[in-house]
Amino acid sequence: MKISTAQLDRRQAELGLTRKAVAELAGISRQTMSTIAQRGTCEPTTLGKIAKALGVDPADLIKED
């Protein structure tokens, strides 16, 4: 699933969180979070965890082509 890294970064900045903090809140590893940010993709279940940690709907983080 393609992720909008711009949306991810924007929400992360709004909350004043580091990628490490987002990873901890989402229950995923820092390395996984880093890989997602670099590749711009992840599994739907992981997207759900990240969205929940950021307090947004998962659809808000999906990249539209």
Side-chain angles (χ1 to χ4, degrees):
M1 177 162 279
K2 291 187 178 183
I3 304 300
S4 171
T5 55
Q7 288 292 85
L8 181 63
D9 289 344
R10 184 179 61 98
R11 184 63 179 152
Q12 181 181 316
E14 287 173 354
L15 296 173
L17 298 172
T18 63
R19 283 213 172 109
K20 180 180 177 185
V22 174
E24 289 174 1
L25 289 170
I28 60 176
S29 72
R30 182 199 52 79
Q31 182 61 40
T32 298
M33 190 68 197
S34 233
T35 300
I36 292 167
Q38 289 174 359
R39 292 185 184 166
T41 62
C42 73
E43 292 295 320
T45 54
T46 306
L47 173 63
K49 291 177 182 181
I50 294 169
K52 185 175 180 180
L54 295 174
V56 297
D57 188 286
D60 294 340
L61 300 177
I62 295 174
K63 184 174 184 176
E64 308 227 0
D65 291 327

